[in-house]
Amino acid sequence: AGDVELKEGGSSSASSASAAAPSGPLTLRSPPPVGKSVVTETEFSDAILGGKSNNLQALRKAGAALPAFLKFPSSVALPFGVCEKTLSLPANSDVQRDIDALAGKLTGNAAKDIPVLAELRAKFADLEMPPGMDGELQAACKAV
């Protein structure tokens, strides 16, 4: 139905990566600093955003045909590191402390963790935005 194709990923896909144990040391790299708190869909890249944003952008760029009743949403995103930067603001120190305490209560048992996860989500709503982020977000939303 339509011109959208689904293909199996290569050996780096999540399903195959989780099936095999790593053969050597795992090295994680921090993403490069972006210099902005908000990016528009034309700025999306693997270096600064995760799979959901980039996969949607890949479909958009490929000109994937969608049924008439479906449209690609306009997109803006917060690059890697923005959450950490926001949490590190002095104005958010109390929220950071509460988030750390709640994270320490997680057990790994999905049923038991549901209330804690709900509290964590609510705590993130209490964060103060970094200076200038509100203007960046408004400008980005107007641009798409």
Side-chain angles (χ1 to χ4, degrees):
D3 295 321
V4 177
E5 272 186 53
L6 179 64
K7 294 184 180 180
E8 288 284 328
S11 63
S12 65
S13 74
S15 61
S16 63
S18 63
S23 60
L26 178 64
T27 304
L28 299 177
R29 286 172 277 191
S30 295
V34 178
K36 319 169 66 162
S37 295
V38 182
V39 293
T40 61
E41 58 198 32
T42 59
E43 301 168 294
F44 286 11
S45 79
D46 291 342
I48 62 170
L49 294 172
K52 286 184 251 178
S53 299
N54 287 308
N55 289 336
L56 181 60
Q57 183 64 356
L59 286 172
R60 188 181 286 115
K61 282 183 177 179
L66 297 176
F69 63 90
L70 291 176
K71 304 284 184 222
F72 281 110
S74 299
S75 300
V76 299
L78 307 180
F80 293 132
V82 171
C83 184
E84 291 83 353
K85 175 183 173 183
T86 302
L87 283 166
S88 71
L89 294 174
N92 290 323
S93 62
D94 289 344
V95 177
Q96 172 72 64
R97 186 177 53 253
D98 293 345
I99 287 171
D100 290 342
L102 287 165
K105 292 181 179 180
L106 293 171
T107 65
N109 177 317
K112 290 181 181 178
D113 288 342
I114 288 173
V116 179
L117 292 169
E119 286 185 72
L120 277 165
R121 277 190 297 278
K123 276 293 162 195
F124 276 92
D126 294 338
L127 289 170
E128 297 282 332
M129 281 196 264
M133 185 175 175
D134 187 45
E136 273 189 70
L137 185 57
Q138 288 183 28
C141 287
K142 287 179 185 174
V144 295

